[in-house]
Amino acid sequence: MPIPENYAKAIEALQATLSPDSVTTDAGVLTKHSQTFGVSKGLGHTVVVFPKTTEDVVNIVNISRENRMPICAYGGGTSLEGHATFSDTGGISLDVSRMDQILEIHVEDGDLVCQPGIQWVKINEILNEKGIPLFFPLDPGIGATIGGMISTGCSGTNAVKYGTARGEWFINATIVLPSGEVIKTRRRARKCSAGFDTLSLFIGAEGTLGIVTEVTIRLTPLLPTRVAVANFPDVGHASKASIEALNCGVSLQCVELLDKYSMAGLNSYNQTMRQWPEKDSLFFKIQGATQVFIEESARILKEVVERNGGSAFEFAATEKEADDLWLARKTAPMAGLALHPGARAMITDVCVPLSALPQLMTNIRKDLDASGLPAYTLAHAGDGNMHALILYRNEDEEKVVHDLVNQLAQYALELDGTCTGEHGIGVGKKKYLVNELGSSTVELMKQIKQTLDPLNLFSPGKLYPDYAKSSY
Amino acid sequence: MPIPENYAKAIEALQATLSPDSVTTDAGVLTKHSQTFGVSKGLGHTVVVFPKTTEDVVNIVNISRENRMPICAYGGGTSLEGHATFSDTGGISLDVSRMDQILEIHVEDGDLVCQPGIQWVKINEILNEKGIPLFFPLDPGIGATIGGMISTGCSGTNAVKYGTARGEWFINATIVLPSGEVIKTRRRARKCSAGFDTLSLFIGAEGTLGIVTEVTIRLTPLLPTRVAVANFPDVGHASKASIEALNCGVSLQCVELLDKYSMAGLNSYNQTMRQWPEKDSLFFKIQGATQVFIEESARILKEVVERNGGSAFEFAATEKEADDLWLARKTAPMAGLALHPGARAMITDVCVPLSALPQLMTNIRKDLDASGLPAYTLAHAGDGNMHALILYRNEDEEKVVHDLVNQLAQYALELDGTCTGEHGIGVGKKKYLVNELGSSTVELMKQIKQTLDPLNLFSPGKLYPDYAKSSY
């Protein structure tokens, strides 16, 4: 129940409360905060604020509530499902970029305390600079911030080894609730059995239940890694090899599947200093503290690959070679985009049980081919999480893309999977949620939303479907 | 708001709805369901029911609600904080022991679907019998059931490698809410970013928010393990060795610390076929798919131990030797009890950041020694999770024990830890919760309880402190 006629009063109150450089209605800044990769999926914001402390956030939330002006937290701006936009209300964009400090590092405990605006990449750079042999292993898009990573329930290529944001990487968080109350979800011990973990409510809630202002994250030892690549006759064989590799006792950090279209894209793009066999391929990242571990791991993995019809097993024996090989995996998502200058990209993800990945990829490939649009698929094969990059140039093609995205979500649901493995629901995927989770589960989510945010001011229009029972 | 005068009517309705052998008011059965290790921490139940299906549970919950008769789920009966009892209301004990089946095993996906009454030990036995080289790694007390493990937010010795119930081991669950609604929290993909994970609300909620009736659990490869033991001059050195071992790149499944009192207890108990040095000792469980991995791990670990003042490093080169060594760790908790026939035991746990473990153990040891009561402490050192077993024989001594438990919780909180790392809050630890989590966090927990269970019929008297703002 936003009240737009109050917004001017709210902006005045924000200006009176925060430092002058912390509140802006500059059109360029507003536009930037409403876009993802240059594409806006909703209306713009009315004002952008840059808090520095938890107290600032409390003040902003109180002004938002008193004036019924919606509020939406903004982290790295890397989310892909319109999380940063307002659908029809306008409101306050709360940009956490000035809350980007590490506050404490506890090396022996293997954790650190930080603010929500710091990027995971930056955290790992700082640890590296300080010579601390620990790192934070969740690796969504470059530029993602800790607050956004919590709110999206993120993961990345490292999920095979380390799991996701829904695991135990976030030990505690300080969170400002829609009421203006501040909670700290728990203390700093690694384990805690003192009731349900309130932090888990906010992981994947996409900013609809609270705004994170401080976080204790768990770190893990940084170990030497190496990379191996192999080709397979088809996605089915690659997928079977992936499953066997997960179970063979080698410490695998990543198992990535690039299909033959993506490999062809790499060749056309020609930025990896070599030509690749245009076959469905697995990229493995292996961990090993010593050379003995690494060599034994490579030996076992090669057997697994060959037993599953793989060929051209290539193992990077040095760190430099490993970086070169992995560059192909890192380049793949952008190769498709670069090959079609002027085209726009729809990037989407779904996730299915491991054994269903070949069926999923076969199904959607037929539709992609039939559409005639350039499209590249790759998968975090060790998690059953598939991404598609589909390119389009005009509104007609955009409609086709939306049909393809719908079709992909349907395939995933038919295979007991989810419409999103790591990108979140945002605006675009709300329509799948009841089908995926059932109306009772969605109604429970809405009840919790109603309990915490009865005025529906925190990120309205995101996550909760528009058409189920309750008022959200 | 239970209404005891309705209970007879409720029991009639239960008898009319369930099969005759599924409802009992037999005094012996009622007593058994109100006790933990033979000790009752609350009043008894009025009736015990044995559902077989989700539909049975829905019917029972509806009868409970219609008659305002509280309901408390009963799993393996292994919890230590009075979870199975009613404090002052009486009610329905819902025993899930007849819901103990594995419904589906998905070997390639690495998961299985089961009912809540099956024990984790049984699941692993069945997988072993079927020759499936996977297992479920959460290992609380023998006899614990999947439903209870979710509700307690359990863990065990394997948490070093695999984390806890709060991690990603429970993929989804079917849950009956106090309203009688049935939710299935999500589908079966390993990763899901479709909103916050409603299942996490029920992990550690101690049955106060819902009753689990079906669960998909994630499995992990079963790898060969070996055991190593070493002695240290004091707990501080052992703790430092433990931290370095966690970070050295060896695949450690467990790191257990038995203090010199526990080692002396093992010698007196004399059930491990050998005499042990009575020193603070670490027991490591190492994983390795091949002999190369195991030998390299042992080599690295020995260096870590010696660098931290450890001595008498002993490595079990065969599986048989490993089992013999680990027997000491398994025997330790019971040795103290066995050495004092007729004594009762208070078993409690707290958890602190890793580096604070020596301080915690030093502090409480002074108090334990001053009390004159026999007491043994051991720790899941890789998690900072300490257990104390304190023996007493009469009411005066029992009061001393309660003071010691209070003191231990206070020490843990002063060290930024928790009053319970894996046993839960139940009845006895409610009083620490506001101090530990803050009143705003506890109030949020109560709001969620109020939203889901407005009549306070699910496990009343557990978890939520009696003295904070809201009505629970």
Side-chain angles (χ1 to χ4, degrees), chain B residues 147-163:
Chain B
M149 289 161 72
I150 290 177
S151 298
T152 312
C154 81
S155 48
T157 65
N158 288 341
V160 166
K161 171 85 183 179
Y162 298 104

Side-chain angles (χ1 to χ4, degrees), chain B residues 305-367:
Chain B
V305 162
E306 290 172 354
R307 202 156 44 227
N308 288 279
S311 58
F313 182 83
E314 183 176 354
F315 176 71
T318 67
E319 199 173 331
K320 169 75 176 63
E321 285 175 24
D323 287 348
D324 287 350
L325 267 191
W326 197 251
L327 179 65
R329 166 59 189 83
K330 288 208 286 194
T331 305
M334 285 304 107
L337 199 52
L339 285 170
H340 302 273
R344 285 183 158 180
M346 167 65 89
I347 303 172
T348 190
D349 91 309
V350 298
C351 191
V352 294
L354 297 184
S355 65
L357 187 60
Q359 185 68 56
L360 176 78
M361 292 182 77
T362 305
N363 287 352
I364 196 63
R365 175 47 62 187
K366 280 185 197 148
D367 298 326

Side-chain angles (χ1 to χ4, degrees), chain A residues 63-345:
Chain A
I63 290 168
S64 148
R65 193 180 59 257
E66 284 154 15
N67 296 283
R68 307 290 193 263
M69 185 172 186
I71 189 166
C72 179
Y74 185 89
T78 59
S79 70
L80 293 163
E81 294 294 345
H83 292 108
T85 64
F86 284 115
S87 50
D88 53 9
T89 59
I92 303 165
S93 178
L94 187 150
D95 182 322
V96 294
S97 59
R98 295 183 195 167
M99 298 176 75
D100 65 344
Q101 297 301 301
I102 293 177
L103 305 174
E104 299 168 18
I105 303 180
H106 306 113
V107 177
E108 286 203 311
D109 299 329
D111 66 54
L112 66 76
V113 183
C114 65
Q115 292 183 301
I118 191 167
Q119 298 175 2
W120 66 272
V121 172
K122 184 73 182 171
I123 288 171
N124 289 338
E125 279 173 11
I126 291 171
L127 291 169
N128 187 46
E129 280 162 16
K130 288 181 183 291
I132 298 169
L134 300 170
F135 81 120
F136 185 63
L138 301 184
D139 63 332
I142 306 290
T145 57
I146 292 294
M149 290 162 71
I150 290 177
S151 298
T152 312
C154 81
S155 50
T157 65
N158 288 341
V160 166
K161 172 83 183 182
Y162 298 104
T164 77
R166 288 153 203 273
E168 302 188 63
W169 296 105
F170 298 109
I171 294 176
N172 66 42
T174 302
I175 296 170
V176 180
L177 302 180
S179 63
E181 283 275 344
V182 180
I183 65 167
K184 184 171 174 182
T185 56
R186 58 180 250 220
R187 289 171 177 240
R188 205 163 53 76
R190 288 195 170 190
K191 287 166 50 173
C192 176
S193 213
F196 54 94
D197 185 7
T198 50
L199 175 51
S200 61
L201 273 179
F202 302 90
I203 296 175
E206 306 188 350
T208 63
L209 299 180
I211 296 173
V212 173
T213 63
E214 198 173 299
V215 190
T216 305
I217 62 175
R218 182 161 164 178
L219 305 171
T220 193
L222 184 65
L223 299 173
T225 59
R226 292 292 182 270
V227 174
V229 181
N231 310 317
F232 294 85
D234 52 41
V235 168
H237 281 81
S239 196
K240 277 203 187 305
S242 159
I243 290 171
E244 194 175 331
L246 291 177
N247 293 335
C248 73
V250 164
S251 184
L252 284 176
Q253 185 167 326
C254 317
V255 185
E256 297 287 303
L257 193 161
L258 271 61
D259 69 6
K260 56 188 172 189
Y261 305 88
S262 292
M263 297 305 286
L266 276 181
N267 284 341
S268 304
Y269 188 42
N270 201 23
Q271 296 289 308
T272 61
M273 313 300 192
R274 61 185 278 180
Q275 289 291 300
W276 299 88
E278 296 184 0
K279 291 184 170 180
D280 300 313
S281 303
L282 286 181
F283 286 71
F284 301 95
K285 196 179 271 187
I286 300 168
Q287 289 182 332
T290 64
Q291 194 60 22
V292 171
F293 280 127
I294 285 172
E295 282 170 18
E296 179 72 350
S297 299
R299 186 188 68 72
I300 295 172
L301 196 57
K302 185 163 189 281
E303 285 179 11
V304 168
V305 162
E306 290 172 353
R307 202 157 42 229
N308 288 279
S311 58
F313 182 84
E314 183 176 354
F315 176 72
T318 68
E319 199 173 330
K320 169 75 175 62
E321 286 175 24
D323 287 347
D324 287 348
L325 268 192
W326 197 252
L327 179 64
R329 166 59 189 82
K330 287 207 287 194
T331 304
M334 285 304 107
L337 199 52
L339 286 171
H340 302 273
R344 284 182 161 181

Side-chain angles (χ1 to χ4, degrees), chain A residues 108-109 134 152-153 155-156 159 163-164 166-168 181-198 200-206 209 221 223 240 243 246-249 289-290 292-293 296-297 299-300 351-355 380 382-383 385 413 416-418 420-425 433 435-437 440-441 444-445 447-448 451-452 463-464 469, chain B residues 108-109 134 152-153 155-156 159 163-164 166-168 181-198 200-206 209 221 223 240 243 246-249 289-290 292-293 296-297 299-300 351-355 380 382-383 385 413 416-418 420-425 433 435-437 440-441 444-445 447-448 451-452 463-464 469:
Chain A
E108 286 203 311
D109 299 329
L134 300 170
T152 312
S155 50
T164 77
R166 288 153 203 273
E168 302 188 63
E181 283 275 344
V182 180
I183 65 167
K184 184 171 174 182
T185 56
R186 58 180 250 220
R187 289 171 177 240
R188 205 163 53 76
R190 288 195 170 190
K191 287 166 50 173
C192 176
S193 213
F196 54 94
D197 185 7
T198 50
S200 61
L201 273 179
F202 302 90
I203 296 175
E206 306 188 350
L209 299 180
L223 299 173
K240 277 203 187 305
I243 290 171
L246 291 177
N247 293 335
C248 73
T290 64
V292 171
F293 280 127
E296 179 72 350
S297 299
R299 186 188 68 72
I300 295 172
C351 191
V352 293
L354 297 184
S355 66
H380 305 317
D383 309 305
N385 186 193
L413 294 180
D416 213 1
T418 170
T420 174
E422 56 183 31
H423 293 174
I425 295 293
L433 209 61
N435 190 7
E436 176 168 336
L437 301 178
S440 300
T441 303
L444 172 61
M445 294 168 78
Q447 281 175 18
I448 304 244
T451 300
L452 268 73
L463 182 54
Y464 309 94
K469 278 192 266 177
Chain B
E108 285 204 310
D109 300 330
L134 300 170
T152 312
S155 48
T164 78
R166 289 153 203 272
E168 302 188 63
E181 284 275 344
V182 180
I183 64 167
K184 184 171 173 181
T185 58
R186 59 178 248 220
R187 289 171 177 240
R188 204 162 53 77
R190 287 196 169 188
K191 287 166 49 174
C192 176
S193 212
F196 54 94
D197 185 8
T198 49
S200 62
L201 273 178
F202 302 90
I203 296 175
E206 306 187 351
L209 300 180
L223 300 173
K240 277 202 187 307
I243 290 170
L246 291 177
N247 293 335
C248 74
T290 63
V292 172
F293 280 128
E296 179 72 350
S297 297
R299 184 187 70 73
I300 294 172
C351 191
V352 294
L354 297 184
S355 65
H380 305 317
D383 309 304
N385 187 194
L413 295 180
D416 213 2
T418 171
T420 174
E422 55 183 30
H423 293 175
I425 295 293
L433 208 61
N435 190 7
E436 176 169 336
L437 301 178
S440 300
T441 303
L444 172 60
M445 294 169 76
Q447 280 175 18
I448 292 190
T451 300
L452 269 73
L463 182 55
Y464 309 93
K469 279 191 263 174

